[in-house]
Amino acid sequence: MARLSTVIWGALSLLGSAFGYANPGACSGTCTNTHDPSIIRRSSDGTYFRFSTGGKIAVHTAPALTGPWTYKGAALPSGSSIDLDGNQDLWAPDVALVGSTYYLYYSVSTFGSQDSAIGVATSSSLDVGTWTDLGSTGIRSSSGKPYNAIDPNLVQDGSTYLLTFGSFWRDIYQVPMASPPKAVASGSSGAYNVAYDSVKTDEEGAFVYKNGAYYYLFYSKGQCCGYDASKPAAGGEYKIMVCRSSSATGGYVDAAGKACTSSGGTVVLESHGNVYGPGGQGVYNDPTHGPVLYYHYVDTTIGYADGQKRFGWNTINFSSGWPVV
């Protein structure tokens, strides 16, 4: 079955190469300046919330995934209590519902620095004005560590919570969290590596999503930012990759069976048409559209600046055992 799954995935990939990727789904309202989006739907009233980098975590809401998206304010208007440079310019939010409480994980850092930390805030409703900053989760990096403590993502594996994170250096790591997941689990042996490209260490933005028997590790690879000042060589811009494992804690491999910790990785979505540098992704099982891959991207007809990045989404199909846009 594993071999058949790989063959089917290969056939679908060839079709994707021949006919191109689907364009992003419809988006109305405020769809620009949406870097590293995190999407969640409040079940009590069906309101969609979109959290994104900048503006002390910008919050937008909409009645549907397609919009219209409306700006509501900052999730953490006073910034973070973490005593690090960058605590007023928070990055890469990740929002999850645990029990009846919403958890907002965020990064405190400055561009190119390894002096970074991951913080967390909680809310009972998701609304602006209701978030309480709890400060550091205990995940912090500095010069000499093998990882950078940014780009957090929470996944629940049975009764265990795991936080996947990391950027460049030795790429992507994971660590067990306490229950409730406000901090690293007591007695944890520390973070372990789940994805690493030894040739080009440019992997970040991990997101773990379970579908069927597998956990899928989605991540971004390539240059994320500054395209208006310095575009990378063709193919060096952001793209969305994936590996999978039957365990949330690792053993992730790509569609060819190559380990994600040994430079493995399969492309899910890359530049095409007017879409350039898609990344900063997540996956959400939408009640209307089914599983969707959401991300930010540059629309080349609008502009390449970081503030011009747009919110994108596509449905994804797992029928081959691998996600296909």
Side-chain angles (χ1 to χ4, degrees):
M1 286 299 292
R3 173 60 181 163
L4 179 59
S5 174
T6 301
V7 170
I8 292 172
W9 180 89
L12 288 169
S13 295
L14 288 173
L15 285 173
S17 298
F19 298 106
Y21 297 102
N23 286 326
C27 184
S28 64
T30 304
C31 300
T32 302
N33 197 12
T34 307
H35 200 104
D36 300 328
S38 180
I39 297 294
I40 193 167
R41 179 179 176 271
R42 187 165 60 193
S43 60
S44 61
D45 61 1
T47 300
Y48 287 76
F49 284 74
R50 188 182 74 205
F51 297 77
S52 57
T53 288
K56 299 177 182 178
I57 305 297
V59 183
H60 292 74
T61 65
L65 183 64
T66 55
W69 291 97
T70 302
Y71 177 67
K72 294 297 183 180
L76 297 175
S78 298
S80 171
S81 60
I82 296 173
D83 186 18
L84 269 181
D85 288 346
N87 65 5
Q88 299 299 303
D89 180 25
L90 310 177
W91 298 350
D94 179 72
V95 183
L97 178 63
V98 178
S100 59
T101 301
Y102 293 97
Y103 285 74
L104 166 62
Y105 298 91
Y106 60 84
S107 311
V108 175
S109 188
T110 55
F111 198 77
S113 170
Q114 199 183 359
D115 195 9
S116 312
I118 293 172
V120 64
T122 58
S123 167
S124 60
S125 70
L126 291 170
D127 290 319
V128 166
T130 68
W131 290 96
T132 300
D133 181 34
L134 305 181
S136 178
T137 59
I139 303 172
R140 187 162 178 165
S141 59
S142 58
S143 180
K145 286 203 172 181
Y147 53 77
N148 195 11
I150 67 169
D151 294 358
N153 169 245
L154 184 74
V155 62
Q156 185 173 358
D157 180 23
S159 60
T160 301
Y161 297 98
L162 305 165
L163 201 73
T164 312
F165 65 95
S167 170
F168 291 55
W169 282 270
R170 287 188 65 91
D171 296 335
I172 298 169
Y173 279 71
Q174 195 175 71
V175 67
M177 299 291 285
S179 181
K182 298 177 182 179
V184 173
S186 176
S188 168
S189 59
Y192 48 88
N193 198 209
V194 291
Y196 175 53
D197 185 338
S198 61
V199 177
K200 191 171 177 59
T201 56
D202 58 355
E203 299 175 345
E204 58 188 8
F207 191 99
V208 177
Y209 178 78
K210 190 173 192 291
N211 184 276
Y214 293 103
Y215 291 86
Y216 293 84
L217 173 64
F218 292 84
Y219 58 94
S220 301
K221 185 176 181 65
Q223 181 179 320
C224 72
C225 314
Y227 300 145
D228 55 334
S230 177
K231 282 177 66 178
E237 72 277 12
Y238 245 17
K239 61 179 70 66
I240 299 171
M241 311 288 290
V242 73
C243 289
R244 76 179 188 188
S245 172
S246 57
S247 169
T249 57
Y252 289 99
V253 299
D254 66 14
K258 189 172 185 179
C260 219
T261 50
S262 298
S263 306
T266 296
V267 177
V268 178
L269 184 66
E270 58 193 335
S271 298
H272 61 98
N274 295 331
V275 173
Y276 182 82
Q281 73 296 315
V283 181
Y284 177 65
N285 192 15
D286 186 74
T288 300
H289 303 281
V292 297
L293 176 71
Y294 62 84
Y295 50 92
H296 69 245
Y297 72 99
V298 160
D299 182 334
T300 59
T301 67
I302 295 175
Y304 288 83
D306 291 339
Q308 293 174 307
K309 297 234 173 84
R310 290 182 60 81
F311 173 62
W313 67 274
N314 293 88
T315 58
I316 50 175
N317 189 317
F318 286 91
S319 62
S320 70
W322 292 91
V324 177
V325 172

